[in-house]
Structure formats: structure tokens, C-alpha cells
């Protein structure tokens, strides 16, 4: 018998049209942090869904603690002490933490030996104990609705711990967290390992793997490329294996050649629905040939600034000027016509109509004008021609070309489609909000390249990002936002990552 | 093992005809209809009658199949024309639901919109003594405008105050029902029929008892208009900027707004179109199929149309066919009950079953794609 707690041998899983896992064999030792690295669509999640009982493999065998098993359902997996912390939380927001955790495995007691009821008090105590043991620190009586995203994730972790999981699978756990929260979570994961648990970490972020993982399996297009010892491998090597070619982390870019002013934001104030000021008296300018990045922790008003410039949010004070013209009260359509391209943060609920096909989405900002429509009648041929042209030009991959329903496309390709559409508008101002969120390294590199290309062609670019590395990498000028106010505006060369980080936390004042 | 396999392959051959996604918009409703007829057959068997006989009578009664004998001045053609006469308002009403549905709105107020436009057309034109040449177009116009305004009001309330259209349409149904009932009973009541007074023949959209070739038939002028309207709506939805914007708003409000589409204006517009169509349903019903209004009653067409529209996939042309089918069952029921001795209400059960199964279309589609996936899996692992 081997010393592996989990062994997956020759696993193959096919979906219509693709092989998600092709003869993949991995072994995971007890008490290690085992990372699964791969681009979107590499088959990481499928492999772990098989282990978690969501799918059954077409071929191959699974051994848990040396015993051959067929995991038929998530409940079965739980019985084998396998627990999954999902990327998208599955919590009832009106229930307390305890209620969520015990849902499905409620501890019952009988009142007067007759009437069964759920023993919440005991459960509360047990969960409090559990959370202290692993440094998770939650108040079990709080409602989910009142918790931050990172707290909700802790509840998800507690949920699997409560079910006595020994093998914990984390599916992209850091995708929704801020840098500080990531730090904390990685600490917790290490603590779990030190407490004897076995951890499987699905991610495409290399730094995280480098930081906590012991070993790492690299998947590419459904195939296992290699299993590496993390200590002896550089992040660069990992990235190469993952993408299957050499990757440039640093975007090569020439120094900015700034010309005339394109955007002027003058004492901008924005209120949210509750009348609370989320953007307070913000002023900055962006020039032709400049990438201006707003750095900041999530929900500090940066998205509202972008929305206000694009016209999606009402401005309550101040002005927005595009090429010298006051556009503060213009309609969204007029702003697009006057020269604003906008890549929104939430590509699925804002950037795309998921049930429309690809060509329609690519023409979503131009459908009403020549040549797409004349006298109110749409031209199908023009939609198709334009769509085909963009698919080629921007290498957008989809199952059925221009006819593909956008819903069925991968996140990276959806983003490519949006960026293609917005670049094609040829607007003097381009706004990118979190353009690389949830896309893989290859695509990130590509998106950065396109941004710099657009800059070099004389566009003014506003970048809003939560990834500090991204900002340091591509920005010419950085504005750091904290609590709705711009703390600092300076050229990117004059700032270090640490300094930006301090401004982001509101720690550094001038 | 081999038996098991055989069973499986049988199942695949059963689903194959509806596994082609291109044809699913047609094949799935078709399968729903077949299933519901099977279910209806079971019901009829349970009450001890012959289902085939019943279905045959149903089609005979609707003028699709010939009856063994006809009364004077009647023939299969006259039956068929009354079928079209009854079908006309249903087509308009279902189109009304379909258009709203494309814009992401649920127009439950078709009945109320029908009643208001029917009533206004009745008192303005129906009792006026205008010539047919002016009266008939005027009836249509009033129907469209009244329905459109009422639908527009719903859209505006949604846009301005974010009031759910389901709530406003239901409430407006009640308001229309009782306010109009008040006016009819106060000013327009016919003491004998206890309905509103009959309108002039000139204003009526169905030509009644026209004698042609020794037959007396009802010619529904609105039917032609209904077909033209369906084609027109299809064109607007598929090929024009207006339709594009309505669909975009219906599919994803946020993305539509982001793309510069005026969400509020399109919400109101979609409801105006929907209401206008409901208005046409109203005038072809109260001033066509009937020629008076029964107070305190809402037409069930307004509600049936929701399911009929669903059965037709909210597609303008599909709606014509689903209205046709439902009207056949409705119209044929009297004859069925007299010939086969099955109570007329059974036809409502059949309609109910069809609509129920058509609502399950999405489930059917899901199930088929699941089975198809499995089949592909199996084939691959066998090879």
C-alpha cells in the first residue's frame, strides 16, 4: 500500500465535444497542501468534481486511504471525509452561520422525550469551538446577509469541517478576496494542514502556490503535464508548464508619450442608492497616450467613478469633460458616440446579453447605425460579416462561430469578445474595469498587450483594478483611492508597490 | 447486460427525433401535444368512452373533418369559418402576451385590456349608426389605441415607480371589470339578454349569416388581419432596431442600459404594443365573435392566451398554430359532447393538459439534452 490518502488513477472524463480529463493520475499524501494549477478549462475543476462526487469518471479508478471507491454523490464524498469549499458560496442569506452549517445534518433533540427540535444551542457552541481551533473566529449567531465575502468563505470552510472532512478541496478560494483577506486565508489553509488535514487547492495564481503548497500538479487542456515539488520550482517554470509556452510577466512597454487631454474629471461626487457619498470630490485628468490606473481595495468607489464617466450612474456633483466638452448630463448612447468605450466589471450581467449569439453581442453598441441598420431595419449580413471579422482579428474562440450563444463561451473568451467590441468603437477614451478578473494567465498577458497597444495608438485609458501587480505593470499614472477619495496621484515610476499598498489602506496621508 | 443495452438504445431512438436543437422549437411543443392527447385519452377511457371516437368528433365539430349530416344552410365550411371566428381574438391575445414576454414582461392584463377596448369601441362606434366602411376601421383603431394606452400605463408605472407589471395588470383587470360593468348596467343594458345592447351590424368585425352558395356563414374579417399582424410582429421583432432593443431589454436590462438602450422607453413601448394587440383581441371578441358585452365577466381568452403563447414558444408564427389547436378543441367540444356523450368540460381538461405539458417544454428539453450527452458518452466508450 502506498502512503497516499487520495489516489486518482487514469481518470478520463469526456463532455460532448471535449475531453475534460485525459488519463490523469495523481496521488495526494496525507497532511500536505497539494495544488492543482492550470488555465481556465484545463480540467482542474472537473477532476475535483469527480473526487467530490459531482461527476462520475468515464474511465479510471479512485482510491481513498488505499481502498477502491466509486464516489456516487457529494453525500458519499462527505462520508469519505472529503469536503469541497466552492468558489460560489452556497449559503442561505437569511439564516445564521450555525443554521447554514448544520443544514442537512441538524442535531436533533426531543423535548419532553416526544417533540423533536433542532438543538441550536449545542450546535452554536460546537461551531464556536471549531472556529477557534482553526483560527476562523466567527460569531455563529450572525446572519449570512450581514457578513463580508471573506467571512462567508469562512462559513463555507466551517461547513466542511463540521462534517468532519479530512480532505478539503478549495476551488479558486482567493478569486473573490482582497490582498489582505488572501493573506489571512492562506494562513488558515496552512493552519488546517498543520492540524493534520489534507488540502487540495485549485488555483491559477502562482504566488499562492509558491507561498503555501507543498506539491503542485500542472494540468493543460485536460492532460497532466507534471507534478512538481513547489520548493524546487520557480513561478516562471510553473507558468510555462501551465500555458505550454514562455510567459512574459512584465509587459514590455515603451515610455508613455502623452499628448492632449482627453478626459477631465472635475470635483466628481457620486451618491449611491441610499444617498451615501461613495465618490467624494474626485478630480483627475487622462491624456491621449496615457494609462491612468485607479488602485484600491474593492468597494472604495472606483467602480462608481467608471460608471459615472460612462453614464451608468448619476453624478451628484462636479463635472466630467471629454475632449473639452461637458458630458456630465449626456445619455449613455451619446457618450458612446462621443468616444467612450467601456469594459465593465461584471461582464455577464452588464457586458453581454448571454442569450444572444456572438455576432449580435459584438455589434451590441453599433446595431442601430449604418451599416448594421438602415431606416430601422437590421442587416443580418452586416452583423455576420462584422462578427466573423472580429472573431478572426481577436482570436475569439467559440463552439459555433458567430452563431454561438455567448452563455456557452468560457469567461476568457467572453472577455475577449467585449474587449474586441470596445476597441472596434475606436473611442478616444477606453475604460477597463477589472479586465483580467477570472481569466487565465495567457489571456491576461494578451489583454495587457492590447491595452498598451491602444495607448500607443493615442487612446486615453482608464484602468480600474484590484490587482496591484497589474497596476504596477501597465499604468503610467496611478491614482490611489480610499473611501471614495483619491489619496494620491503620481506617475507609476515614482511609487513603489508598498507605498501604493499603504495609500490603499488609507494609512498614508500627506 | 444486453437487455439493458437494448432498453437504453430504445430510449435513445425515442428521443432522437427531438434531439436536434434546430428543430426543437417545433418538435418540443409537438411532443407536448402528443403526450397531452395520450393523457386525455386515458381520462376519457377512465370515464368509459372511446377516446379515438371523442377526438374524431372534436375535429368534426371544429370543421376540420366532415360530419355525417348537416342542418340546413350549414356545411363543413361554415363550421370551419366559425372556428376561425373564435380563433381570431385568441391569436391577437396570444401575440400580446408573446410581445410582452420578449421584453421580459408578464402581461396578465390582456383580459382587462380587451374589455376596455371592446367597451369603448362598442359605445363610440357600435351604437353610432356609422357606415360599415368607416365603422369597421374605426373599431379596429379604437381597439388598438385604447388597449395600447392601457398597456402603456402599465409600462409607465413599471418604469417610473418600479411597480411590478403583474400586480398592476391584475388590479387593472378588476378596475376595468367593475367600472365597465357599472356603465353597462346603468346606461347600456338590454333588459332581455341582461347584456349590453347589441351593436350595429355595420360595426361588427364578423359578417354574420352571409348567404353564399346556399350556405349561411360567418366571415371573420379580423382573421386575415390577425395573420398579417403575426407576420408583421415577427418582422418587427427579428429584423428591426425596435425589436432588437425590446429583446435586449427583455434578456438583460443591465446590458441593454450599458449598450445605450433606453430601458424605460422600451418597457413602455413593449407594453403599448402588447396592449394594442390585446385591444385588437378585445374588438374582434366583443365586436366580432360576440356583438355585446356581458357585465362583470372577464373573458377567459386573456388568461388562456398566456399558455397558448407559451405553447407557441412566444413566437408570432408559433402562436398562430397553437391558437388554432386550442380553438379546435374548444369549438369541437359541443359536438363531441352530443355525439360521444362525453361532457363538454372534458375538452377543457384536454386544453388544460396541453397547456400543462407545454409549460413543461423546458424540462423536456433539459431531459433530452441530458440523455443525448449520455448517449455520446456511451458511444465514445464503446468505440
Amino acid at each position: 500500500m502506498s502512503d497516499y490518502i487520495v489516489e486518482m488513477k487514469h481518470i478520463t472524463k469526456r463532455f460532448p465535444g471535449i475531453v475534460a480529463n485525459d488519463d490523469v493520475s495523481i496521488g495526494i499524501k496525507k497532511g500536505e497542501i497539494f495544488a492543482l494549477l492550470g488555465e481556465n478549462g484545463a480540467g482542474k475543476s472537473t477532476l475535483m468534481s469527480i473526487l467530490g462526487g459531482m461527476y462520475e469518471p468515464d474511465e479510471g479508478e479512485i482510491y481513498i486511504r488505499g481502498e477502491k471507491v466509486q464516489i456516487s454523490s457529494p453525500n458519499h464524498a462527505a462520508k469519505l471525509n472529503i469536503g469541497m469549499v466552492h468558489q460560489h458560496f452556497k449559503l442561505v442569506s437569511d439564516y445564521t452561520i450555525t443554521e447554514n452549517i448544520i443544514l442537512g445534518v441538524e442535531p436533533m433533540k426531543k423535548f419532553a422525550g416526544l417533540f423533536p427540535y433542532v438543538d441550536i444551542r449545542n450546535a452554536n457552541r460546537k461551531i464556536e469551538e471549531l472556529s477557534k481551533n482553526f483560527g476562523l473566529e466567527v460569531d455563529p449567531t450572525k446572519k449570512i446577509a450581514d457578513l463580508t465575502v471573506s467571512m462567508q468563505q469562512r462559513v463555507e470552510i466551517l461547513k466542511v469541517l463540521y462534517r468532519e472532512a479530512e480532505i478539503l478541496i478549495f476551488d479558486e478560494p482567493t478569486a473573490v478576496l482582497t490582498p489582505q483577506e488572501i493573506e489571512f486565508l492562506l494562513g488558515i489553509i496552512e493552519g488546517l494542514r498543520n492540524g493534520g488535514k489534507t488540502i487540495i487547492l485549485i488555483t491559477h495564481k502562482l504566488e499562492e502556490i509558491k507561498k503555501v503548497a507543498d506539491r503542485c500538479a500542472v494540468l493543460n487542456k485536460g492532460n497532466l503535464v507534471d507534478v512538481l515539488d513547489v520548493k524546487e520550482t520557480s513561478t516562471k517554470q510553473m507558468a510555462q508548464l501551465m500555458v505550454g509556452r514562455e510567459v512574459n510577466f512584465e509587459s514590455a512597454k515603451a515610455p508613455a508619450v502623452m499628448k492632449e487631454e482627453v478626459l477631465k474629471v472635475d470635483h466628481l461626487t457620486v451618491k449611491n442608492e441610499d444617498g451615501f457619498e461613495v465618490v467624494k470630490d474626485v478630480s483627475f485628468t487622462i491624456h491621449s497616450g496615457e494609462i491612468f490606473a485607479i488602485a484600491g481595495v474593492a468597494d472604495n468607489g472606483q467602480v462608481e467613478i467608471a460608471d459615472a464617466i460612462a453614464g451608468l450612474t448619476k453624478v451628484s456633483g462636479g463635472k466630467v469633460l471629454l475632449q473639452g466638452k461637458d458630458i456630465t448630463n449626456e445619455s449613455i448612447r451619446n457618450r458612446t458616440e462621443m468616444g467612450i468605450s467601456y469594459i465593465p466589471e461584471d461582464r455577464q450581467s452588464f457586458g453581454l446579453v448571454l442569450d444572444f449569439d456572438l455576432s449580435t453581442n459584438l455589434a451590441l453598441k453599433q446595431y442601430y447605425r449604418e451599416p448594421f441598420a438602415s431606416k430601422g431595419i437590421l442587416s443580418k449580413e452586416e452583423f455576420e460579416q462584422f462578427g466573423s471579422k472580429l472573431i478572426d482579428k481577436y482570436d475569439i474562440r467559440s463552439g459555433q462561430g458567430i452563431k454561438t450563444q455567448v452563455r456557452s463561451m468560457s469567461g476568457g473568451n467572453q472577455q475577449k469578445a467585449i474587449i474586441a467590441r470596445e476597441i472596434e468603437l475606436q473611442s478616444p477614451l477606453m475604460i477597463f474595469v477589472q479586465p483580467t478578473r477570472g481569466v487565465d494567465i495567457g489571456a491576461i498577458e494578451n489583454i495587457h498587450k492590447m491595452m498598451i497597444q491602444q495607448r500607443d495608438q493615442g487612446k486615453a485609458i482608464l484602468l480600474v483594478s484590484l490587482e496591484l501587480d497589474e497596476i504596477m505593470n501597465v499604468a503610467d499614472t496611478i491614482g490611489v483611492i480610499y473611501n471614495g477619495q483619491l489619496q494620491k496621484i503620481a506617475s507609476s515610476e515614482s511609487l513603489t508597490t508598498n507605498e501604493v499598498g499603504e495609500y490603499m489602506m488609507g494609512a498614508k496621508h500627506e | 447486460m444486453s437487455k439493458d443495452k437494448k432498453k437504453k438504445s430504445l430510449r435513445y431512438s425515442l428521443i432522437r427525433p427531438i434531439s436536434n436543437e434546430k428543430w426543437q422549437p417545433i418538435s418540443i411543443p409537438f411532443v407536448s401535444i402528443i403526450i397531452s392527447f395520450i393523457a386525455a385519452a386515458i381520462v376519457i377511457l377512465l370515464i368509459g368512452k372511446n377516446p379515438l371516437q371523442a377526438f374524431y368528433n372534436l375535429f368534426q365539430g371544429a370543421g376540420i373533418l366532415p360530419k355525417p349530416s348537416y342542418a340546413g344552410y350549414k356545411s363543413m365550411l361554415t363550421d370551419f369559418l366559425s372556428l376561425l371566428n373564435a380563433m381570431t381574438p385568441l391569436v391577437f391575445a396570444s401575440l400580446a402576451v408573446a410581445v410582452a414576454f420578449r421584453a421580459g414582461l408578464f402581461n396578465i392584463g390582456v383580459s382587462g385590456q380587451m374589455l376596455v377596448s371592446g367597451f369603448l369601441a362598442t359605445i363610440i362606434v357600435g351604437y353610432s349608426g356609422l357606415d360599415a366602411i368607416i365603422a369597421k376601421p374605426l373599431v379596429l383603431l379604437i381597439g388598438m389605441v385604447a388597449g395600447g394606452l392601457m398597456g402603456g400605463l402599465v409600462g409607465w408605472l413599471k418604469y417610473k415607480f418600479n411597480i411590478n407589471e403583474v400586480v398592476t395588470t391584475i388590479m387593472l383587470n378588476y378596475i376595468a371589470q367593475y367600472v365597465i360593468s357599472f356603465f353597462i348596467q346603468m346606461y347600456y343594458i338590454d333588459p332581455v339578454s341582461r347584456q349590453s345592447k347589441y351593436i350595429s351590424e355595420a360595426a361588427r368585425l364578423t359578417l354574420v349569416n352571409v348567404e353564399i352558395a346556399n350556405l349561411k356563414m360567418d366571415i371573420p374579417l379580423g382573421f386575415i388581419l390577425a395573420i398579417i399582424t403575426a407576420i408583421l410582429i415577427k418582422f418587427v421583432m427579428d429584423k428591426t432596431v425596435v425589436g432588437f432593443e425590446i429583446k435586449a431589454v427583455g434578456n438583460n436590462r443591465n446590458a441593454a442600459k450599458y449598450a445605450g438602450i433606453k430601458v424605460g422607453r422600451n418597457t413602455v413601448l413593449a407594453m403599448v404594443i402588447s396592449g394594442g394587440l390585446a385591444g385588437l383581441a378585445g374588438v374582434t371578441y366583443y365586436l366580432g365573435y360576440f356583438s355585446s358585452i356581458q357585465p362583470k365577466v372577464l373573458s377567459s381568452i386573456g388568461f388562456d392566451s398566456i399558455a397558448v403563447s407559451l405553447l407557441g414558444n412566444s413566437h408570432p408564427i408559433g402562436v398562430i398554430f397553437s391558437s388554432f389547436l386550442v380553438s379546435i378543441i374548444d369549438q369541437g367540444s359541443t359536438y363531441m359532447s352530443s355525439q360521444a356523450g362525453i361532457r363538454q368540460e372534458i375538452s377543457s381538461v384536454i386544453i388544460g393538459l396541453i397547456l400543462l405539458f407545454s409549460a413543461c417544454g423546458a424540462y423536456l428539453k433539459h431531459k433530452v439534452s441530458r440523455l443525448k450527452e449520455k448517449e455520446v458518452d456511451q458511444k465514445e466508450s464503446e468505440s
Side-chain angles (χ1 to χ4, degrees):
Chain A
M1 277 287 95
S2 58
D3 54 347
Y4 291 126
I5 185 165
V6 176
E7 259 188 299
M8 301 180 83
K9 286 185 178 168
H10 308 292
I11 300 288
T12 298
K13 175 74 191 170
R14 299 182 196 86
F15 291 108
I18 56 157
V19 183
N21 292 136
D22 190 2
D23 194 19
V24 175
S25 299
I26 54 169
I28 297 154
K29 292 176 196 155
K30 186 170 164 51
E32 73 171 344
I33 298 180
F34 186 89
L36 271 180
L37 178 64
E39 295 187 276
N40 289 338
K44 304 165 296 202
S45 292
T46 307
L47 191 64
M48 284 305 112
S49 297
I50 289 172
L51 189 58
M54 262 84 77
Y55 296 132
E56 281 184 56
D58 295 327
E59 283 161 45
E61 293 164 344
I62 303 169
Y63 295 85
I64 306 288
R65 298 179 197 89
E67 265 176 64
K68 186 174 169 184
V69 289
Q70 268 197 319
I71 306 173
S72 53
S73 69
N75 279 337
H76 187 194
K79 273 189 199 129
L80 294 165
N81 304 94
I82 300 169
M84 193 147 176
V85 178
H86 293 276
Q87 184 179 2
H88 302 285
F89 306 146
K90 296 165 199 274
L91 300 169
V92 184
S93 61
D94 268 349
Y95 276 20
T96 67
I97 292 180
T98 299
E99 284 165 341
N100 266 283
I101 290 173
I102 62 174
L103 199 62
V105 290
E106 299 86 354
M108 304 300 280
K109 259 195 176 174
K110 278 190 178 156
F111 180 71
L114 202 61
F115 305 105
Y117 71 100
V118 179
D119 186 6
I120 285 283
R121 208 183 304 163
N122 223 342
N124 274 336
R125 217 180 43 234
K126 195 172 161 194
I127 285 160
E128 201 167 347
E129 228 168 75
L130 202 61
S131 73
K132 268 191 193 133
N133 282 346
F134 291 98
L136 287 161
E137 305 284 340
V138 295
D139 176 357
T141 57
K142 267 200 172 165
K143 275 192 182 168
I144 297 296
D146 302 330
L147 300 182
T148 62
V149 172
S150 76
M151 284 301 246
Q152 291 182 23
Q153 191 174 45
R154 292 185 201 182
V155 178
E156 284 283 348
I157 298 173
L158 279 169
K159 214 155 107 184
V160 296
L161 289 174
Y162 185 82
R163 285 161 175 72
E164 296 177 338
E166 290 297 322
I167 302 153
L168 279 78
I169 306 167
F170 285 84
D171 187 5
E172 305 265 2
T174 58
V176 289
L177 302 181
T178 64
Q180 287 72 30
E181 290 167 339
I182 290 174
E183 214 42 49
F184 187 83
L185 175 71
L186 294 178
I188 288 173
I189 290 178
E190 278 187 313
L192 288 168
R193 181 210 28 208
N194 297 340
K197 309 273 184 200
T198 306
I199 311 285
I200 304 173
L201 183 63
I202 305 175
T203 182
H204 53 235
K205 291 190 185 165
L206 299 163
E207 319 87 70
E208 291 164 14
I209 294 182
K210 194 72 193 162
K211 215 172 250 166
V212 296
D214 300 303
R215 292 190 311 137
C216 161
V218 185
L219 290 175
N220 188 351
K221 289 178 188 140
N223 294 296
L224 180 68
V225 182
D226 207 349
V227 179
L228 308 161
D229 202 324
V230 172
K231 275 198 201 79
E232 287 154 21
T233 318
S234 73
T235 44
K236 195 149 191 171
Q237 279 168 307
M238 284 191 245
Q240 274 176 31
L241 285 173
M242 168 172 147
V243 183
R245 64 183 161 82
E246 200 157 333
V247 177
N248 258 327
F249 281 129
E250 307 270 308
S251 310
K253 74 173 185 173
V257 188
M258 297 189 208
K259 293 191 200 118
E260 77 282 359
E261 187 180 288
V262 173
L263 178 76
K264 184 178 172 71
V265 173
D266 194 19
H267 298 287
L268 180 74
T269 299
V270 180
K271 286 182 185 161
N272 67 5
E273 280 170 1
D274 306 324
F276 184 73
E277 283 188 4
V278 282
V279 177
K280 297 167 195 161
D281 196 21
V282 164
S283 302
F284 61 92
T285 55
I286 309 178
H287 302 86
S288 161
E290 176 185 9
I291 297 180
F292 183 97
I294 299 181
V297 179
D299 294 331
N300 270 288
Q302 55 269 64
V303 176
E304 284 80 0
I305 294 179
D307 278 351
I309 296 169
L312 272 88
T313 300
K314 272 206 181 116
V315 168
S316 62
K319 274 187 199 161
V320 180
L321 291 101
L322 183 71
Q323 293 180 314
K325 272 177 264 172
D326 188 347
I327 60 163
T328 319
N329 296 312
E330 287 293 341
S331 69
I332 299 170
R333 168 83 27 103
N334 282 350
R335 293 184 205 219
T336 310
E337 293 269 330
M338 288 166 87
I340 296 180
S341 286
Y342 184 20
I343 289 102
E345 177 183 34
D346 191 335
R347 68 182 77 106
Q348 301 203 330
S349 57
F350 279 87
L352 298 164
V353 182
L354 291 177
D355 290 323
F356 280 6
D357 66 18
L358 180 54
S359 63
T360 312
N361 270 291
L362 286 169
L364 194 61
K365 287 213 174 159
Q366 301 189 53
Y367 67 90
Y368 57 90
R369 62 186 184 199
E370 301 269 3
F372 299 98
S374 74
K375 300 195 180 83
I377 311 289
L378 302 171
S379 160
K380 205 178 166 197
E381 294 82 49
E382 288 295 337
F383 273 74
E384 287 175 355
Q385 255 176 34
F386 182 70
S388 308
K389 192 180 92 187
L390 263 59
I391 288 175
D392 284 347
K393 193 168 163 189
Y394 295 91
D395 187 30
I396 304 164
R397 287 178 212 167
S398 60
Q400 296 150 291
I402 47 172
K403 294 254 179 283
T404 316
Q405 260 201 2
V406 173
R407 184 184 291 284
S408 69
M409 289 165 55
S410 73
N413 278 302
Q414 289 179 348
Q415 186 72 333
K416 263 192 206 167
I418 295 176
I419 293 178
R421 179 182 71 209
E422 299 304 311
I423 288 180
E424 286 297 310
L425 289 174
Q426 302 286 354
S427 312
L429 173 68
M430 296 194 70
I431 305 172
F432 289 80
V433 180
Q434 294 255 63
T436 58
R437 186 167 83 161
V439 303
D440 55 61
I441 290 197
I444 291 175
E445 194 190 357
N446 191 8
I447 290 170
H448 287 170
K449 218 185 270 168
M450 282 198 277
M451 281 171 65
I452 292 165
Q453 217 173 39
Q454 290 301 309
R455 178 201 74 167
D456 292 343
Q457 286 173 17
K459 306 284 173 59
I461 291 177
L462 172 63
L463 167 67
V464 172
S465 175
L466 302 180
E467 306 276 344
L468 204 43
D469 292 340
E470 173 166 274
I471 286 180
M472 298 310 288
N473 209 347
V474 299
D476 301 311
T477 313
I478 297 175
V480 191
I481 196 162
Y482 172 72
N483 208 7
Q485 285 173 311
L486 276 184
Q487 302 284 310
K488 173 88 183 168
I489 297 174
S491 77
S492 60
E493 292 93 34
S494 67
L495 286 168
T496 65
T497 311
N498 271 340
E499 278 175 316
V500 176
E502 278 168 26
Y503 284 117
M504 270 166 71
M505 307 306 296
K508 200 160 175 171
H509 286 281
E510 278 168 299
Chain B
M1 181 67 207
S2 74
K3 208 178 190 180
D4 195 36
K5 215 176 229 172
K6 213 181 245 170
K7 211 164 110 196
K8 268 188 185 159
S9 67
L10 181 73
R11 193 158 12 132
Y12 297 140
S13 62
L14 270 178
I15 64 149
R16 189 158 298 128
I18 51 170
S19 66
N20 186 334
E21 267 164 46
K22 205 180 144 195
W23 290 106
Q24 271 181 356
I26 294 166
S27 61
I28 296 233
F30 195 71
V31 169
S32 309
I33 290 163
I34 291 175
I35 297 175
S36 44
F37 268 96
I38 293 170
I42 295 171
V43 173
I44 295 170
L45 276 175
L46 284 175
I47 54 174
K49 306 283 176 181
N50 179 354
L52 289 176
Q53 171 77 34
F55 294 151
Y56 194 77
N57 292 151
L58 214 49
F59 283 96
Q60 282 179 319
I64 305 290
L65 295 170
K67 290 178 196 168
S69 65
Y70 286 94
Y73 299 114
K74 295 282 172 196
S75 80
M76 199 173 108
L77 183 64
T78 52
D79 283 346
F80 186 70
L81 282 172
S82 9
L83 171 70
L84 298 188
N85 193 16
M87 172 183 163
T88 305
L90 188 60
V91 173
F92 281 122
S94 307
L95 284 173
V97 176
V99 168
F101 195 67
R102 287 288 185 90
L105 298 164
F106 204 24
N107 185 1
I108 307 191
V110 171
S111 287
Q113 291 147 15
M114 281 171 71
L115 185 59
V116 168
S117 35
F119 175 71
L120 288 177
T122 298
I123 58 168
I124 297 172
V125 187
Y127 301 150
S128 68
L130 284 170
D131 280 346
I133 198 91
I134 304 167
K136 289 188 207 302
L138 200 56
V139 165
L140 291 171
L141 187 71
I142 289 172
M144 237 175 349
V145 171
L149 285 176
M150 209 166 144
L153 172 68
V154 172
W156 182 77
L157 287 170
K158 167 132 190 160
Y159 156 65
K160 199 75 192 170
F161 305 106
N162 200 23
I163 309 176
N164 193 314
E165 76 279 4
V166 173
V167 176
T168 41
T169 47
I170 290 177
M171 291 305 140
L172 282 171
N173 275 352
Y174 284 122
I175 294 169
Q177 185 181 349
Y178 290 106
V179 169
I180 286 172
S181 162
F182 165 81
F183 280 108
I184 289 176
Q185 279 168 334
M186 288 301 285
Y187 306 109
Y188 305 108
I189 197 81
D190 179 332
V192 180
S193 69
R194 299 214 159 263
Q195 300 199 351
S196 67
K197 284 180 257 176
Y198 292 106
I199 58 163
S200 70
E201 285 297 316
R204 197 161 170 188
L205 298 172
T206 300
L207 307 175
V208 195
N209 288 334
V210 185
E211 270 200 59
I212 301 173
N214 212 20
L215 292 171
K216 276 191 180 168
M217 40 190 137
D218 298 346
I219 298 171
L221 298 176
F223 181 74
I224 316 282
L225 187 69
I227 302 296
I228 296 171
T229 307
I231 295 167
L232 188 72
I233 293 288
K234 178 178 155 48
F235 177 79
V236 169
M237 293 311 282
D238 291 353
K239 300 265 191 263
T240 67
V241 169
V242 173
F244 185 96
E245 295 192 347
I246 287 178
K247 280 189 292 181
V249 170
N251 268 292
N252 186 341
R253 244 153 222 283
N254 291 331
K257 182 182 175 195
Y258 155 83
I261 295 169
K262 292 203 165 68
V263 174
R265 201 184 70 181
N266 278 287
T267 304
V268 175
L269 181 65
M271 278 312 293
V272 168
I273 297 175
S274 175
L277 289 165
L280 287 173
V283 292
T284 50
Y285 186 69
Y286 295 111
L287 294 89
Y289 186 68
F290 292 117
S291 58
S292 74
I293 302 171
Q294 191 185 350
K296 283 218 295 207
V297 175
L298 279 179
S299 152
S300 68
I301 285 184
F303 303 106
D304 290 346
S305 61
I306 293 167
V308 171
S309 166
L310 213 62
L311 180 65
N313 259 324
S314 302
H315 187 284
I317 306 301
V319 156
I320 296 179
F321 288 103
S322 54
S323 306
F324 186 59
L325 180 74
V326 169
S327 304
I328 287 174
I329 299 167
D330 209 27
Q331 282 291 298
S333 63
T334 328
Y335 188 71
M336 177 185 76
S337 97
S338 70
Q339 290 297 306
I342 299 167
R343 292 196 134 258
Q344 206 170 334
E345 284 76 8
I346 286 295
S347 76
S348 305
V349 173
I350 301 175
I351 294 176
L353 285 168
I354 290 180
L355 303 180
L356 185 70
F357 282 109
S358 72
C360 301
Y363 169 77
L364 211 59
K365 198 169 160 183
H366 166 77
K367 203 76 191 163
V368 166
S369 68
R370 278 286 295 276
L371 276 170
K372 200 169 146 195
E373 244 172 59
K374 273 193 187 158
E375 184 188 25
V376 172
D377 271 12
Q378 187 137 359
K379 268 196 188 146
E380 270 175 16
S381 58
E382 271 165 17
S383 59

